[in-house]
Tab-separated table of all heavy atoms in Angstrom:
chain	number	residue	atom	x	y	z
A	1099	MET	N	29.870	-11.135	-21.971
A	1099	MET	CA	30.453	-11.686	-20.760
A	1099	MET	C	29.707	-12.938	-20.359
A	1099	MET	O	28.482	-12.953	-20.374
A	1099	MET	CB	30.375	-10.644	-19.648
A	1099	MET	CG	31.320	-9.488	-19.830
A	1099	MET	SD	31.179	-8.301	-18.503
A	1099	MET	CE	30.661	-6.889	-19.448
A	1100	PRO	N	30.400	-13.948	-19.945
A	1100	PRO	CA	29.721	-15.200	-19.608
A	1100	PRO	C	28.903	-15.099	-18.328
A	1100	PRO	O	29.249	-14.387	-17.408
A	1100	PRO	CB	30.880	-16.185	-19.438
A	1100	PRO	CG	32.081	-15.346	-19.186
A	1100	PRO	CD	31.842	-14.034	-19.852
A	1101	ASN	N	27.778	-15.824	-18.298
A	1101	ASN	CA	26.895	-15.815	-17.143
A	1101	ASN	C	27.508	-16.480	-15.924
A	1101	ASN	O	27.041	-16.292	-14.819
A	1101	ASN	CB	25.571	-16.493	-17.489
A	1101	ASN	CG	24.751	-15.654	-18.421
A	1101	ASN	OD1	24.979	-14.464	-18.567
A	1101	ASN	ND2	23.794	-16.265	-19.084
A	1102	CYS	N	28.563	-17.274	-16.103
A	1102	CYS	CA	29.141	-18.009	-14.975
A	1102	CYS	C	29.729	-17.080	-13.922
A	1102	CYS	O	29.967	-17.506	-12.797
A	1102	CYS	CB	30.183	-19.012	-15.465
A	1102	CYS	SG	31.587	-18.240	-16.279
A	1103	ASN	N	29.969	-15.819	-14.241
A	1103	ASN	CA	30.529	-14.877	-13.279
A	1103	ASN	C	29.491	-14.325	-12.310
A	1103	ASN	O	29.843	-13.690	-11.333
A	1103	ASN	CB	31.199	-13.711	-14.005
A	1103	ASN	CG	32.407	-14.155	-14.798
A	1103	ASN	OD1	33.072	-15.115	-14.447
A	1103	ASN	ND2	32.692	-13.447	-15.868
A	1104	TRP	N	28.222	-14.508	-12.592
A	1104	TRP	CA	27.171	-13.976	-11.726
A	1104	TRP	C	27.119	-14.770	-10.429
A	1104	TRP	O	27.239	-15.982	-10.423
A	1104	TRP	CB	25.816	-14.048	-12.413
A	1104	TRP	CG	25.680	-13.096	-13.559
A	1104	TRP	CD1	25.773	-13.400	-14.880
A	1104	TRP	CD2	25.438	-11.695	-13.494
A	1104	TRP	NE1	25.604	-12.271	-15.634
A	1104	TRP	CE2	25.393	-11.208	-14.810
A	1104	TRP	CE3	25.256	-10.801	-12.438
A	1104	TRP	CZ2	25.172	-9.864	-15.105
A	1104	TRP	CZ3	25.025	-9.465	-12.738
A	1104	TRP	CH2	24.990	-9.008	-14.053
A	1105	GLN	N	26.928	-14.060	-9.323
A	1105	GLN	CA	26.794	-14.692	-8.008
A	1105	GLN	C	25.489	-14.241	-7.383
A	1105	GLN	O	25.064	-13.102	-7.564
A	1105	GLN	CB	27.939	-14.280	-7.079
A	1105	GLN	CG	29.284	-14.736	-7.547
A	1105	GLN	CD	30.389	-14.260	-6.613
A	1105	GLN	OE1	30.264	-13.271	-5.932
A	1105	GLN	NE2	31.479	-14.996	-6.600
A	1106	LYS	N	24.863	-15.139	-6.628
A	1106	LYS	CA	23.682	-14.748	-5.870
A	1106	LYS	C	23.907	-15.088	-4.412
A	1106	LYS	O	24.784	-15.886	-4.072
A	1106	LYS	CB	22.417	-15.395	-6.410
A	1106	LYS	CG	22.325	-16.878	-6.306
A	1106	LYS	CD	20.995	-17.343	-6.888
A	1106	LYS	CE	20.831	-18.841	-6.760
A	1106	LYS	NZ	19.533	-19.276	-7.232
A	1107	SER	N	23.128	-14.502	-3.564
A	1107	SER	CA	23.273	-14.687	-2.130
A	1107	SER	C	23.117	-16.145	-1.739
A	1107	SER	O	22.291	-16.866	-2.305
A	1107	SER	CB	22.218	-13.848	-1.400
A	1107	SER	OG	22.194	-14.168	-0.030
A	1108	SER	N	23.878	-16.546	-0.759
A	1108	SER	CA	23.730	-17.904	-0.231
A	1108	SER	C	22.392	-18.068	0.486
A	1108	SER	O	21.963	-19.178	0.751
A	1108	SER	CB	24.876	-18.217	0.727
A	1108	SER	OG	24.871	-17.309	1.812
A	1109	HIS	N	21.715	-16.958	0.771
A	1109	HIS	CA	20.399	-17.000	1.401
A	1109	HIS	C	19.283	-17.225	0.374
A	1109	HIS	O	18.135	-17.427	0.744
A	1109	HIS	CB	20.122	-15.710	2.171
A	1109	HIS	CG	21.074	-15.485	3.304
A	1109	HIS	ND1	20.980	-16.162	4.494
A	1109	HIS	CD2	22.151	-14.683	3.403
A	1109	HIS	CE1	21.953	-15.772	5.285
A	1109	HIS	NE2	22.682	-14.875	4.648
A	1110	SER	N	19.619	-17.156	-0.911
A	1110	SER	CA	18.633	-17.360	-1.967
A	1110	SER	C	18.303	-18.840	-2.106
A	1110	SER	O	19.170	-19.692	-1.949
A	1110	SER	CB	19.154	-16.859	-3.315
A	1110	SER	OG	19.368	-15.477	-3.277
A	1111	SER	N	17.072	-19.097	-2.450
A	1111	SER	CA	16.695	-20.483	-2.722
A	1111	SER	C	17.111	-20.835	-4.144
A	1111	SER	O	17.720	-20.037	-4.842
A	1111	SER	CB	15.186	-20.650	-2.549
A	1111	SER	OG	14.505	-19.881	-3.522
A	1112	SER	N	16.745	-21.985	-4.591
A	1112	SER	CA	17.130	-22.410	-5.939
A	1112	SER	C	16.248	-21.780	-7.020
A	1112	SER	O	16.462	-22.005	-8.196
A	1112	SER	CB	17.064	-23.931	-6.043
A	1112	SER	OG	15.748	-24.378	-5.784
A	1113	SER	N	15.259	-20.999	-6.630
A	1113	SER	CA	14.379	-20.363	-7.614
A	1113	SER	C	15.114	-19.230	-8.325
A	1113	SER	O	16.219	-18.848	-7.961
A	1113	SER	CB	13.124	-19.823	-6.935
A	1113	SER	OG	13.450	-18.686	-6.154
A	1114	ASP	N	14.482	-18.690	-9.337
A	1114	ASP	CA	15.076	-17.592	-10.093
A	1114	ASP	C	14.620	-16.230	-9.598
A	1114	ASP	O	14.671	-15.254	-10.327
A	1114	ASP	CB	14.730	-17.730	-11.579
A	1114	ASP	CG	15.545	-18.814	-12.257
A	1114	ASP	OD1	16.613	-19.163	-11.743
A	1114	ASP	OD2	15.094	-19.295	-13.305
A	1115	ASN	N	14.196	-16.119	-8.367
A	1115	ASN	CA	13.714	-14.853	-7.815
A	1115	ASN	C	14.749	-14.268	-6.871
A	1115	ASN	O	14.554	-14.216	-5.664
A	1115	ASN	CB	12.392	-15.066	-7.076
A	1115	ASN	CG	11.310	-15.519	-8.009
A	1115	ASN	OD1	11.259	-15.092	-9.146
A	1115	ASN	ND2	10.444	-16.385	-7.539
A	1116	CYS	N	15.863	-13.829	-7.432
A	1116	CYS	CA	16.905	-13.251	-6.594
A	1116	CYS	C	17.693	-12.222	-7.403
A	1116	CYS	O	17.565	-12.118	-8.607
A	1116	CYS	CB	17.824	-14.338	-6.053
A	1116	CYS	SG	18.718	-15.200	-7.342
A	1117	ILE	N	18.506	-11.485	-6.696
A	1117	ILE	CA	19.396	-10.528	-7.322
A	1117	ILE	C	20.764	-11.183	-7.454
A	1117	ILE	O	21.259	-11.811	-6.525
A	1117	ILE	CB	19.507	-9.244	-6.470
A	1117	ILE	CG1	18.144	-8.573	-6.302
A	1117	ILE	CG2	20.524	-8.279	-7.060
A	1117	ILE	CD1	17.526	-8.082	-7.592
A	1118	GLU	N	21.371	-11.011	-8.601
A	1118	GLU	CA	22.708	-11.541	-8.854
A	1118	GLU	C	23.664	-10.369	-9.043
A	1118	GLU	O	23.257	-9.289	-9.482
A	1118	GLU	CB	22.708	-12.415	-10.099
A	1118	GLU	CG	21.812	-13.636	-9.961
A	1118	GLU	CD	21.707	-14.436	-11.244
A	1118	GLU	OE1	21.626	-13.836	-12.333
A	1118	GLU	OE2	21.710	-15.672	-11.146
A	1119	VAL	N	24.912	-10.569	-8.711
A	1119	VAL	CA	25.906	-9.505	-8.790
A	1119	VAL	C	27.209	-10.050	-9.366
A	1119	VAL	O	27.524	-11.230	-9.217
A	1119	VAL	CB	26.136	-8.868	-7.387
A	1119	VAL	CG1	26.732	-9.866	-6.414
A	1119	VAL	CG2	26.976	-7.617	-7.475
A	1120	ARG	N	27.941	-9.184	-10.038
A	1120	ARG	CA	29.283	-9.528	-10.509
A	1120	ARG	C	30.060	-8.231	-10.716
A	1120	ARG	O	29.487	-7.145	-10.759
A	1120	ARG	CB	29.249	-10.327	-11.805
A	1120	ARG	CG	28.833	-9.534	-13.026
A	1120	ARG	CD	28.897	-10.400	-14.262
A	1120	ARG	NE	28.438	-9.656	-15.430
A	1120	ARG	CZ	28.307	-10.204	-16.625
A	1120	ARG	NH1	28.584	-11.476	-16.807
A	1120	ARG	NH2	27.882	-9.490	-17.645
A	1121	THR	N	31.361	-8.363	-10.830
A	1121	THR	CA	32.194	-7.219	-11.200
A	1121	THR	C	32.666	-7.426	-12.624
A	1121	THR	O	32.938	-8.552	-13.050
A	1121	THR	CB	33.408	-7.074	-10.257
A	1121	THR	OG1	34.159	-8.278	-10.268
A	1121	THR	CG2	32.968	-6.751	-8.844
A	1122	ALA	N	32.745	-6.341	-13.347
A	1122	ALA	CA	33.198	-6.386	-14.742
A	1122	ALA	C	33.776	-5.028	-15.118
A	1122	ALA	O	33.120	-3.995	-14.927
A	1122	ALA	CB	32.038	-6.731	-15.669
A	1123	ASN	N	34.981	-5.037	-15.586
A	1123	ASN	CA	35.634	-3.809	-16.061
A	1123	ASN	C	35.624	-2.703	-15.009
A	1123	ASN	O	35.392	-1.541	-15.322
A	1123	ASN	CB	34.980	-3.325	-17.356
A	1123	ASN	CG	35.063	-4.348	-18.451
A	1123	ASN	OD1	36.096	-4.994	-18.620
A	1123	ASN	ND2	33.988	-4.530	-19.190
A	1124	GLY	N	35.826	-3.051	-13.744
A	1124	GLY	CA	35.896	-2.069	-12.675
A	1124	GLY	C	34.553	-1.594	-12.148
A	1124	GLY	O	34.503	-0.745	-11.275
A	1125	ALA	N	33.467	-2.129	-12.683
A	1125	ALA	CA	32.124	-1.747	-12.236
A	1125	ALA	C	31.465	-2.927	-11.531
A	1125	ALA	O	31.903	-4.065	-11.655
A	1125	ALA	CB	31.267	-1.328	-13.427
A	1126	VAL	N	30.417	-2.632	-10.805
A	1126	VAL	CA	29.579	-3.667	-10.209
A	1126	VAL	C	28.302	-3.729	-11.036
A	1126	VAL	O	27.710	-2.698	-11.349
A	1126	VAL	CB	29.240	-3.341	-8.729
A	1126	VAL	CG1	28.278	-4.362	-8.153
A	1126	VAL	CG2	30.510	-3.276	-7.902
A	1127	GLU	N	27.907	-4.926	-11.422
A	1127	GLU	CA	26.692	-5.123	-12.202
A	1127	GLU	C	25.711	-5.952	-11.393
A	1127	GLU	O	26.101	-6.908	-10.724
A	1127	GLU	CB	26.998	-5.831	-13.516
A	1127	GLU	CG	27.927	-5.052	-14.409
A	1127	GLU	CD	28.194	-5.736	-15.729
A	1127	GLU	OE1	28.067	-6.974	-15.818
A	1127	GLU	OE2	28.542	-5.021	-16.672
A	1128	LEU	N	24.446	-5.557	-11.446
A	1128	LEU	CA	23.384	-6.269	-10.744
A	1128	LEU	C	22.276	-6.591	-11.724
A	1128	LEU	O	22.011	-5.826	-12.652
A	1128	LEU	CB	22.803	-5.387	-9.630
A	1128	LEU	CG	23.803	-4.964	-8.575
A	1128	LEU	CD1	23.797	-3.474	-8.436
A	1128	LEU	CD2	23.473	-5.637	-7.278
A	1129	ARG	N	21.637	-7.722	-11.503
A	1129	ARG	CA	20.484	-8.075	-12.321
A	1129	ARG	C	19.549	-8.956	-11.495
A	1129	ARG	O	19.957	-9.598	-10.525
A	1129	ARG	CB	20.883	-8.816	-13.587
A	1129	ARG	CG	21.388	-10.220	-13.348
A	1129	ARG	CD	21.750	-10.903	-14.640
A	1129	ARG	NE	22.138	-12.300	-14.394
A	1129	ARG	CZ	22.523	-13.125	-15.312
A	1129	ARG	NH1	22.586	-12.725	-16.570
A	1129	ARG	NH2	22.844	-14.366	-15.011
A	1130	GLU	N	18.310	-8.972	-11.881
A	1130	GLU	CA	17.344	-9.894	-11.297
A	1130	GLU	C	17.444	-11.181	-12.103
A	1130	GLU	O	17.408	-11.156	-13.331
A	1130	GLU	CB	15.945	-9.294	-11.373
A	1130	GLU	CG	14.951	-9.982	-10.510
A	1130	GLU	CD	13.654	-9.217	-10.409
A	1130	GLU	OE1	13.617	-8.014	-10.691
A	1130	GLU	OE2	12.662	-9.862	-10.049
A	1131	SER	N	17.562	-12.305	-11.446
A	1131	SER	CA	17.857	-13.547	-12.160
A	1131	SER	C	16.809	-13.916	-13.195
A	1131	SER	O	17.132	-14.507	-14.215
A	1131	SER	CB	18.064	-14.697	-11.176
A	1131	SER	OG	16.951	-14.832	-10.335
A	1132	ASP	N	15.549	-13.549	-12.963
A	1132	ASP	CA	14.521	-13.884	-13.951
A	1132	ASP	C	14.365	-12.811	-15.028
A	1132	ASP	O	13.545	-12.932	-15.917
A	1132	ASP	CB	13.177	-14.184	-13.273
A	1132	ASP	CG	12.618	-13.009	-12.501
A	1132	ASP	OD1	13.357	-12.041	-12.248
A	1132	ASP	OD2	11.437	-13.067	-12.121
A	1133	GLU	N	15.160	-11.746	-14.966
A	1133	GLU	CA	15.184	-10.683	-15.983
A	1133	GLU	C	16.638	-10.414	-16.371
A	1133	GLU	O	17.115	-9.294	-16.293
A	1133	GLU	CB	14.541	-9.404	-15.437
A	1133	GLU	CG	13.053	-9.504	-15.178
A	1133	GLU	CD	12.227	-9.549	-16.462
A	1133	GLU	OE1	12.705	-9.069	-17.522
A	1133	GLU	OE2	11.114	-10.071	-16.407
A	1134	GLY	N	17.343	-11.459	-16.769
A	1134	GLY	CA	18.776	-11.379	-17.016
A	1134	GLY	C	19.216	-10.392	-18.068
A	1134	GLY	O	20.378	-10.000	-18.108
A	1135	HIS	N	18.312	-9.957	-18.927
A	1135	HIS	CA	18.687	-9.017	-19.981
A	1135	HIS	C	18.741	-7.573	-19.476
A	1135	HIS	O	19.259	-6.703	-20.152
A	1135	HIS	CB	17.706	-9.126	-21.152
A	1135	HIS	CG	16.299	-8.781	-20.795
A	1135	HIS	ND1	15.488	-9.656	-20.091
A	1135	HIS	CD2	15.570	-7.676	-21.012
A	1135	HIS	CE1	14.304	-9.082	-19.898
A	1135	HIS	NE2	14.336	-7.890	-20.450
A	1136	LEU	N	18.235	-7.302	-18.259
A	1136	LEU	CA	18.289	-5.968	-17.669
A	1136	LEU	C	19.394	-5.936	-16.629
A	1136	LEU	O	19.380	-6.704	-15.670
A	1136	LEU	CB	16.956	-5.622	-17.000
A	1136	LEU	CG	15.729	-5.638	-17.907
A	1136	LEU	CD1	14.470	-5.453	-17.086
A	1136	LEU	CD2	15.847	-4.547	-18.953
A	1137	THR	N	20.359	-5.038	-16.811
A	1137	THR	CA	21.507	-4.979	-15.912
A	1137	THR	C	21.701	-3.555	-15.411
A	1137	THR	O	21.669	-2.607	-16.186
A	1137	THR	CB	22.792	-5.435	-16.637
A	1137	THR	OG1	22.575	-6.735	-17.181
A	1137	THR	CG2	23.972	-5.479	-15.697
A	1138	LEU	N	21.894	-3.431	-14.106
A	1138	LEU	CA	22.194	-2.149	-13.473
A	1138	LEU	C	23.695	-2.086	-13.255
A	1138	LEU	O	24.294	-3.051	-12.752
A	1138	LEU	CB	21.461	-2.049	-12.127
A	1138	LEU	CG	21.793	-0.858	-11.246
A	1138	LEU	CD1	21.241	0.419	-11.874
A	1138	LEU	CD2	21.214	-1.058	-9.863
A	1139	HIS	N	24.316	-0.976	-13.618
A	1139	HIS	CA	25.757	-0.796	-13.460
A	1139	HIS	C	25.988	0.296	-12.423
A	1139	HIS	O	25.332	1.332	-12.454
A	1139	HIS	CB	26.393	-0.354	-14.784
A	1139	HIS	CG	26.128	-1.289	-15.905
A	1139	HIS	ND1	27.031	-2.250	-16.287
A	1139	HIS	CD2	25.069	-1.427	-16.721
A	1139	HIS	CE1	26.525	-2.934	-17.297
A	1139	HIS	NE2	25.329	-2.453	-17.577
A	1140	THR	N	26.930	0.076	-11.514
A	1140	THR	CA	27.270	1.071	-10.508
A	1140	THR	C	28.743	0.942	-10.146
A	1140	THR	O	29.431	0.037	-10.627
A	1140	THR	CB	26.364	0.929	-9.251
A	1140	THR	OG1	26.561	2.060	-8.405
A	1140	THR	CG2	26.621	-0.347	-8.494
A	1141	THR	N	29.205	1.833	-9.302
A	1141	THR	CA	30.605	1.785	-8.868
A	1141	THR	C	30.729	0.922	-7.617
A	1141	THR	O	29.755	0.766	-6.862
A	1141	THR	CB	31.129	3.194	-8.542
A	1141	THR	OG1	30.428	3.688	-7.391
A	1141	THR	CG2	30.968	4.138	-9.726
A	1142	PRO	N	31.908	0.369	-7.379
A	1142	PRO	CA	32.099	-0.400	-6.141
A	1142	PRO	C	31.817	0.431	-4.891
A	1142	PRO	O	31.250	-0.068	-3.921
A	1142	PRO	CB	33.570	-0.819	-6.214
A	1142	PRO	CG	33.866	-0.866	-7.676
A	1142	PRO	CD	33.079	0.278	-8.263
A	1143	THR	N	32.172	1.705	-4.897
A	1143	THR	CA	31.937	2.573	-3.745
A	1143	THR	C	30.447	2.755	-3.478
A	1143	THR	O	29.989	2.652	-2.332
A	1143	THR	CB	32.603	3.950	-3.964
A	1143	THR	OG1	33.997	3.752	-4.181
A	1143	THR	CG2	32.392	4.864	-2.774
A	1144	THR	N	29.676	2.996	-4.513
A	1144	THR	CA	28.237	3.168	-4.365
A	1144	THR	C	27.581	1.876	-3.926
A	1144	THR	O	26.700	1.868	-3.057
A	1144	THR	CB	27.611	3.672	-5.684
A	1144	THR	OG1	28.218	4.926	-6.018
A	1144	THR	CG2	26.117	3.832	-5.571
A	1145	PHE	N	28.010	0.756	-4.484
A	1145	PHE	CA	27.444	-0.533	-4.101
A	1145	PHE	C	27.753	-0.842	-2.635
A	1145	PHE	O	26.897	-1.316	-1.892
A	1145	PHE	CB	27.969	-1.636	-5.016
A	1145	PHE	CG	27.340	-2.975	-4.766
A	1145	PHE	CD1	25.975	-3.158	-4.911
A	1145	PHE	CD2	28.107	-4.056	-4.388
A	1145	PHE	CE1	25.384	-4.399	-4.674
A	1145	PHE	CE2	27.536	-5.301	-4.154
A	1145	PHE	CZ	26.163	-5.464	-4.295
A	1146	ALA	N	28.972	-0.562	-2.199
A	1146	ALA	CA	29.340	-0.791	-0.799
A	1146	ALA	C	28.485	0.074	0.131
A	1146	ALA	O	28.034	-0.398	1.179
A	1146	ALA	CB	30.824	-0.504	-0.587
A	1147	ALA	N	28.238	1.316	-0.252
A	1147	ALA	CA	27.386	2.196	0.565
A	1147	ALA	C	25.963	1.652	0.625
A	1147	ALA	O	25.317	1.688	1.687
A	1147	ALA	CB	27.394	3.610	-0.007
A	1148	PHE	N	25.457	1.146	-0.494
A	1148	PHE	CA	24.128	0.546	-0.511
A	1148	PHE	C	24.065	-0.660	0.422
A	1148	PHE	O	23.119	-0.818	1.197
A	1148	PHE	CB	23.743	0.125	-1.936
A	1148	PHE	CG	22.519	-0.736	-1.978
A	1148	PHE	CD1	21.262	-0.179	-1.814
A	1148	PHE	CD2	22.624	-2.109	-2.146
A	1148	PHE	CE1	20.122	-0.984	-1.819
A	1148	PHE	CE2	21.509	-2.912	-2.155
A	1148	PHE	CZ	20.246	-2.344	-2.001
A	1149	LEU	N	25.057	-1.529	0.362
A	1149	LEU	CA	25.078	-2.713	1.231
A	1149	LEU	C	25.109	-2.325	2.702
A	1149	LEU	O	24.390	-2.908	3.525
A	1149	LEU	CB	26.269	-3.608	0.894
A	1149	LEU	CG	26.200	-4.346	-0.439
A	1149	LEU	CD1	27.483	-5.141	-0.661
A	1149	LEU	CD2	24.984	-5.242	-0.509
A	1150	ARG	N	25.928	-1.322	3.044
A	1150	ARG	CA	25.980	-0.866	4.442
A	1150	ARG	C	24.614	-0.334	4.880
A	1150	ARG	O	24.150	-0.629	5.985
A	1150	ARG	CB	27.049	0.203	4.625
A	1150	ARG	CG	28.457	-0.336	4.684
A	1150	ARG	CD	29.463	0.723	5.127
A	1150	ARG	NE	29.496	1.891	4.242
A	1150	ARG	CZ	30.215	1.981	3.134
A	1150	ARG	NH1	30.970	0.967	2.757
A	1150	ARG	NH2	30.186	3.079	2.406
A	1151	ALA	N	23.960	0.432	4.035
A	1151	ALA	CA	22.650	0.986	4.364
A	1151	ALA	C	21.609	-0.123	4.521
A	1151	ALA	O	20.790	-0.092	5.444
A	1151	ALA	CB	22.216	1.986	3.296
A	1152	ALA	N	21.647	-1.116	3.646
A	1152	ALA	CA	20.694	-2.224	3.734
A	1152	ALA	C	20.917	-3.017	5.017
A	1152	ALA	O	19.963	-3.377	5.712
A	1152	ALA	CB	20.826	-3.134	2.513
A	1153	GLN	N	22.176	-3.258	5.352
A	1153	GLN	CA	22.485	-3.991	6.578
A	1153	GLN	C	22.070	-3.210	7.820
A	1153	GLN	O	21.708	-3.802	8.834
A	1153	GLN	CB	23.974	-4.325	6.631
A	1153	GLN	CG	24.381	-5.363	5.617
A	1153	GLN	CD	25.881	-5.545	5.509
A	1153	GLN	OE1	26.661	-4.660	5.865
A	1153	GLN	NE2	26.293	-6.699	5.020
A	1154	ALA	N	22.101	-1.893	7.744
A	1154	ALA	CA	21.712	-1.051	8.868
A	1154	ALA	C	20.202	-0.877	8.974
A	1154	ALA	O	19.715	-0.246	9.904
A	1154	ALA	CB	22.391	0.321	8.742
A	1155	GLY	N	19.455	-1.425	8.009
A	1155	GLY	CA	18.002	-1.357	8.050
A	1155	GLY	C	17.408	-0.082	7.491
A	1155	GLY	O	16.225	0.205	7.708
A	1156	GLU	N	18.193	0.688	6.765
A	1156	GLU	CA	17.703	1.963	6.247
A	1156	GLU	C	16.566	1.839	5.239
A	1156	GLU	O	15.857	2.798	4.977
A	1156	GLU	CB	18.855	2.761	5.627
A	1156	GLU	CG	19.852	3.236	6.669
A	1156	GLU	CD	20.929	4.125	6.068
A	1156	GLU	OE1	20.662	4.833	5.071
A	1156	GLU	OE2	22.052	4.117	6.608
A	1157	PHE	N	16.378	0.671	4.678
A	1157	PHE	CA	15.313	0.469	3.678
A	1157	PHE	C	14.177	-0.373	4.186
A	1157	PHE	O	13.264	-0.721	3.445
A	1157	PHE	CB	15.908	-0.161	2.402
A	1157	PHE	CG	17.094	0.597	1.866
A	1157	PHE	CD1	18.359	0.018	1.894
A	1157	PHE	CD2	16.958	1.868	1.342
A	1157	PHE	CE1	19.463	0.698	1.402
A	1157	PHE	CE2	18.060	2.558	0.854
A	1157	PHE	CZ	19.303	1.981	0.886
A	1158	ASP	N	14.210	-0.748	5.462
A	1158	ASP	CA	13.193	-1.648	6.023
A	1158	ASP	C	11.775	-1.091	5.931
A	1158	ASP	O	10.822	-1.848	5.805
A	1158	ASP	CB	13.518	-1.978	7.474
A	1158	ASP	CG	14.738	-2.879	7.609
A	1158	ASP	OD1	15.266	-3.344	6.573
A	1158	ASP	OD2	15.152	-3.113	8.756
A	1159	HIS	N	11.625	0.207	5.948
A	1159	HIS	CA	10.293	0.799	5.879
A	1159	HIS	C	9.660	0.651	4.502
A	1159	HIS	O	8.468	0.889	4.337
A	1159	HIS	CB	10.323	2.277	6.299
A	1159	HIS	CG	11.093	3.150	5.366
A	1159	HIS	ND1	12.480	3.183	5.356
A	1159	HIS	CD2	10.686	3.999	4.414
A	1159	HIS	CE1	12.884	4.037	4.430
A	1159	HIS	NE2	11.818	4.548	3.840
A	1160	HIS	N	10.411	0.217	3.515
A	1160	HIS	CA	9.874	-0.002	2.158
A	1160	HIS	C	9.272	-1.393	1.989
A	1160	HIS	O	8.638	-1.671	0.983
A	1160	HIS	CB	10.955	0.197	1.107
A	1160	HIS	CG	11.445	1.600	1.023
A	1160	HIS	ND1	10.691	2.620	0.519
A	1160	HIS	CD2	12.619	2.159	1.416
A	1160	HIS	CE1	11.363	3.746	0.564
A	1160	HIS	NE2	12.552	3.495	1.106
A	1161	ALA	N	9.476	-2.260	2.939
A	1161	ALA	CA	9.011	-3.646	2.823
A	1161	ALA	C	7.508	-3.760	2.976
A	1161	ALA	O	6.819	-2.986	3.509
A	1161	ALA	CB	9.701	-4.519	3.841
């Protein structure tokens, strides 16, 4: 799959230290931009739940 489909947050700087996301074959794929060969695959439902939890601050205590 071509790399042009990867998107990163508009809050990311121009460095390669960010998480990128794309959809492929009905799944959501995530990777760290500086480790492009490692890809996490999940479902859209699980990814949406993760985003809601992150926005609600459920992971803030890990920072």
Side-chain angles (χ1 to χ4, degrees):
M1099 288 180 242
N1101 289 342
C1102 63
N1103 294 331
W1104 290 102
Q1105 296 178 334
K1106 65 180 182 176
S1107 171
S1108 60
H1109 297 283
S1110 296
S1111 65
S1112 60
S1113 72
D1114 284 338
N1115 296 324
C1116 63
I1117 300 297
E1118 297 175 320
V1119 64
R1120 71 177 177 185
T1121 57
N1123 301 319
V1126 175
E1127 298 182 336
L1128 300 126
R1129 71 179 184 181
E1130 195 169 341
S1131 56
D1132 62 346
E1133 293 288 336
H1135 62 284
L1136 301 173
T1137 305
L1138 172 70
H1139 304 263
T1140 190
T1141 66
T1143 302
T1144 300
F1145 185 60
F1148 169 76
L1149 290 177
R1150 283 191 301 275
Q1153 290 171 338
E1156 292 185 30
F1157 308 113
D1158 290 354
H1159 66 283
H1160 294 289

